[in-house]
Coordinates of all heavy atoms in Angstrom, one line a residue:
L178 N 17.0 21.8 2.8 CA 18.1 21.5 2.0 C 18.4 22.5 0.9 O 19.5 22.8 0.6 CB 18.0 20.1 1.4 CG 18.2 18.9 2.3 CD1 18.0 17.6 1.5 CD2 19.5 18.9 2.9
A179 N 17.3 22.9 0.3 CA 17.4 23.9 -0.8 C 18.1 25.2 -0.3 O 18.9 25.8 -1.1 CB 16.1 24.2 -1.4
S182 N 21.9 23.6 1.5 CA 22.8 22.8 0.8 C 22.2 22.4 -0.6 O 21.7 21.3 -0.7 CB 23.2 21.5 1.6 OG 24.1 20.7 0.9
P183 N 22.2 23.3 -1.5 CA 21.6 23.1 -2.8 C 22.1 21.8 -3.5 O 21.3 21.1 -4.2 CB 21.9 24.3 -3.6 CG 22.2 25.4 -2.6 CD 22.8 24.7 -1.4
E184 N 23.4 21.5 -3.4 CA 23.9 20.3 -4.0 C 23.3 19.0 -3.4 O 22.9 18.1 -4.2 CB 25.4 20.3 -3.9 CG 26.1 21.3 -4.7 CD 27.7 21.2 -4.6 OE1 28.1 20.2 -3.9 OE2 28.4 22.0 -5.2
V185 N 23.2 19.0 -2.1 CA 22.5 17.8 -1.5 C 21.1 17.8 -1.9 O 20.5 16.7 -2.1 CB 22.7 17.9 0.1 CG1 22.0 16.7 0.7 CG2 24.2 17.9 0.4
F186 N 20.4 18.9 -1.9 CA 19.0 19.0 -2.4 C 18.8 18.3 -3.7 O 17.9 17.5 -3.9 CB 18.5 20.4 -2.4 CG 17.2 20.6 -3.0 CD1 16.0 20.3 -2.4 CD2 17.2 21.2 -4.3 CE1 14.8 20.5 -3.0 CE2 15.9 21.4 -4.9 CZ 14.8 21.1 -4.3
S187 N 19.7 18.7 -4.7 CA 19.6 18.2 -6.0 C 19.9 16.7 -6.1 O 19.2 16.0 -6.9 CB 20.6 18.9 -6.9 OG 20.3 20.3 -7.0
R188 N 20.8 16.3 -5.3 CA 21.1 14.8 -5.3 C 20.0 14.0 -4.5 O 19.7 13.0 -5.0 CB 22.5 14.6 -4.6 CG 23.0 13.2 -4.6 CD 24.4 13.1 -4.2 NE 24.6 13.5 -2.8 CZ 25.2 14.6 -2.4 NH1 25.7 15.4 -3.3 NH2 25.4 14.9 -1.1
Q189 N 19.6 14.5 -3.4 CA 18.6 13.8 -2.6 C 17.3 13.6 -3.4 O 16.6 12.6 -3.3 CB 18.3 14.6 -1.3 CG 17.4 13.8 -0.3 CD 18.2 12.8 0.5 OE1 19.4 12.9 0.6 NE2 17.5 11.8 1.0
F190 N 16.9 14.6 -4.1 CA 15.6 14.6 -4.8 C 15.7 14.5 -6.3 O 14.9 15.0 -7.1 CB 14.7 15.8 -4.4 CG 14.3 15.9 -3.0 CD1 15.1 16.6 -2.1 CD2 13.3 15.1 -2.5 CE1 14.7 16.7 -0.8 CE2 12.9 15.2 -1.2 CZ 13.6 15.9 -0.3
S191 N 16.8 13.9 -6.8 CA 17.2 13.9 -8.2 C 16.1 13.3 -9.1 O 15.7 13.8 -10.1 CB 18.5 13.2 -8.4 OG 18.4 11.8 -8.0
A192 N 15.5 12.1 -8.6 CA 14.5 11.5 -9.4 C 13.2 12.3 -9.6 O 12.7 12.4 -10.7 CB 14.1 10.1 -8.7
I193 N 12.8 13.0 -8.5 CA 11.6 13.8 -8.5 C 11.9 15.0 -9.4 O 11.0 15.5 -10.2 CB 11.2 14.2 -7.1 CG1 10.7 13.0 -6.4 CG2 10.1 15.2 -7.1 CD1 10.3 13.2 -4.9
L194 N 13.1 15.6 -9.2 CA 13.4 16.9 -9.9 C 13.5 16.6 -11.4 O 13.1 17.4 -12.3 CB 14.7 17.4 -9.4 CG 14.6 18.0 -8.0 CD1 16.0 18.3 -7.5 CD2 13.8 19.3 -8.0
R195 N 14.0 15.4 -11.8 CA 14.1 15.0 -13.2 C 12.7 15.0 -13.9 O 12.6 15.2 -15.1 CB 14.8 13.7 -13.4 CG 16.3 13.7 -13.3 CD 16.9 12.5 -13.9 NE 16.5 11.3 -13.3 CZ 17.0 10.7 -12.2 NH1 18.1 11.3 -11.7 NH2 16.6 9.6 -11.7

Side-chain angles (χ1 to χ4, degrees):
L178 283 182
S182 184
E184 290 184 2
V185 177
F186 168 76
S187 299
R188 184 169 63 251
Q189 187 80 25
F190 295 98
S191 59
I193 293 177
L194 292 169
R195 280 198 303 270

